[in-house]
């Protein structure tokens, strides 16, 4: 069970990752239905999950949260803010939701919270998100949140035997304030 | 003095980087004319350069490749090129280059970049090579156009350089667009 809430929204909250949550994270980071969308091609065992946890805990350039629905105790996914660059004021976000509960708005809720964290607490100026061009669900979430498409990264990922294009989105701090 | 030539062109060759070359590279990396274009904002002293040399250049982690650019009719370097951030299985990597402001010569930069892209695609079997420049860096964008890169996207206000937020243009070339040089 995740630790106390760090960021609260109406539909979900973001909680710090505890060591007990690593089994949950490892199970889904290896799940083909999750990792294909994230374009992860390396297996993650307990040792590597622990190392990732240590890195997120110690390193200022990345931070990871569990997404927990407001009406539940157990996490339904993870959201990460990584490549945080304090000089340039930028960071990239990435999220996944367990296949069983996708489509309930948890990714949107989690992303809204991490945008608020990035802009209002970390004083970042720009948040980036990338999605495979053919990942309609992910792109719908990013569009709905008001992120802007910057362009297409050609053949940026190799998934399922083919090269795939990637769309890069971004939101500037002043655009976040517009909502 | 740079190490042996590793890949040769008509007017320049790419040579291995040796410890004695760190003084040359330290001068370039601290030079405002270069570092604003590279969006570097950290000073580099002897110690940080040695760490960079040991960690980044001398370690055969199979990822990147760094070279000094030396004109074929000279012995001393005029610039530096780097292949870095190599990602597998997508098989792309990024290139960066900078040339001594005293020896600024677009033909050197163009050929050195061609040699590095050739190395990436023909020797390392990369499928794609990426290069980014700040939007206002016309000289660098001209080099990329000549080598055959295509503009992919404009990254809005991506970097903070000399008091201003600047756009970054990301370019790429795919292996089937590379004519070979």
């Amino acid at each position: 069970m995740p630790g106390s809430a760090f960021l609260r929204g109406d539909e979900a909250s973001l909680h710090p990752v505890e060591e007990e949550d690593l089994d949950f994270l490892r199970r889904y980071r290896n799940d083909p239905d999750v990792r294909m969308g994230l374009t992860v091609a390396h297996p993650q065992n307990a040792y590597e999950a622990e190392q990732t946890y240590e890195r997120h805990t110690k390193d200022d350039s990345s931070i990871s949260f569990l997404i927990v629905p407001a009406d539940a105790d157990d996490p339904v996914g993870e959201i990460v803010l990584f490549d945080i660059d304090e000089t340039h004021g930028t960071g990239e976000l990435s999220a996944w939701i367990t296949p069983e509960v996708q489509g309930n708005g948890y990714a949107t809720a989690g992303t809204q919270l991490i945008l608020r964290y990035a802009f209002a607490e970390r004083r970042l100026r720009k948040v980036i998100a990338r999605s495979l061009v053919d990942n309609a669900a992910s792109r719908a979430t990013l569009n709905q949140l008001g992120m802007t498409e910057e362009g297409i990264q050609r053949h940026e990922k190799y998934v399922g035997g083919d090269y795939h294009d990637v769309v890069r989105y971004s939101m500037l701090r002043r655009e976040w304030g517009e909502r | 003095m740079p190490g042996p030539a590793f890949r040769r062109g008509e007017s320049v060759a790419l040579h291995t980087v040796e410890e004695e070359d760190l003084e040359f590279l330290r001068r370039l990396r601290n030079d405002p004319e270069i570092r604003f274009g590279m969006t570097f904002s950290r000073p580099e002293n002897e110690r940080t350069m040695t760490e960079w040399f040991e960690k980044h250049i001398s370690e055969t982690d199979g990822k990147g490749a760094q070279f000094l650019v030396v004109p074929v009719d000279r012995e001393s370097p005029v610039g530096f090129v780097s292949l870095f951030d190599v990602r597998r299985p997508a098989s792309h990597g990024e290139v960066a280059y900078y040339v001594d402001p005293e020896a600024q010569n677009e033909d050197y930069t163009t050929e050195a970049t061609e040699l590095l892209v050739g190395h990436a695609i023909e020797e390392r079997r990369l499928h794609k090579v990426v290069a980014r420049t700040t939007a206002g860096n016309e000289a660098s964008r001209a080099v990329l156009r000549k080598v055959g890169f295509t503009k992919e996207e404009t990254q809005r206000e991506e970097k903070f350089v000399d008091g201003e937020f600047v756009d970054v243009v990301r370019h790429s070339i795919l292996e089937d667009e590379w004519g070979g040089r």
Side-chain angles (χ1 to χ4, degrees), chain A residues 26-43:
Chain A
R26 179 160 53 96
R27 179 169 149 213
Y28 287 102
R29 285 173 183 160
N30 284 293
D31 187 322
D33 289 337
V34 171
R35 68 180 181 82
M36 293 292 191
L38 299 170
T39 71
V40 173
H42 295 282

Side-chain angles (χ1 to χ4, degrees), chain B residues 35-47:
Chain B
R35 65 184 183 81
F36 287 153
M38 301 301 296
T39 74
F40 293 156
S41 60
R42 301 179 67 84
E44 299 288 353
N45 63 12
E46 252 179 67
R47 178 166 169 177

Side-chain angles (χ1 to χ4, degrees), chain A residues 41-42 83 85 87-90 125-126 128 130 147-158 163 166-168 170-172 174-175, chain B residues 39 41 87-92 127-128 130 132 149-161 165 170 172-177:
Chain A
H42 295 282
D83 277 355
D85 188 316
T87 300
H88 301 291
T90 53
R125 291 174 33 254
K126 175 175 180 177
I128 295 143
R130 293 188 300 159
M147 296 192 83
T148 301
E149 285 188 24
E150 288 191 328
I152 304 283
Q153 302 181 340
R154 307 176 302 154
H155 290 204
E156 187 74 7
K157 298 287 182 179
Y158 187 79
Y163 294 104
V166 162
V167 198
R168 188 189 213 247
S170 66
M171 180 182 277
L172 300 173
R174 61 172 180 271
E175 297 164 345
Chain B
T39 74
S41 60
R87 300 291 172 100
R88 307 282 188 179
S91 300
H92 53 78
H127 175 69
K128 170 181 178 177
V130 173
R132 288 177 299 159
F149 279 80
T150 303
K151 176 184 161 180
E152 277 193 339
E153 65 192 13
T154 299
Q155 303 178 344
R156 308 175 300 154
E157 300 184 21
E158 184 78 6
K159 299 285 182 186
F160 183 67
V161 181
F165 299 114
R170 190 188 210 247
S172 65
I173 184 167
L174 300 178
E175 78 185 299
D176 61 10
E177 297 165 348

Side-chain angles (χ1 to χ4, degrees), chain B residues 5-24:
Chain B
F6 181 82
R7 210 174 157 95
R8 280 196 189 88
E10 278 169 29
S11 63
V12 295
L14 304 186
H15 291 245
T16 62
V17 181
E18 304 296 336
E19 206 158 358
E20 307 89 86
D21 303 310
L22 292 182
E23 206 180 313
F24 168 74

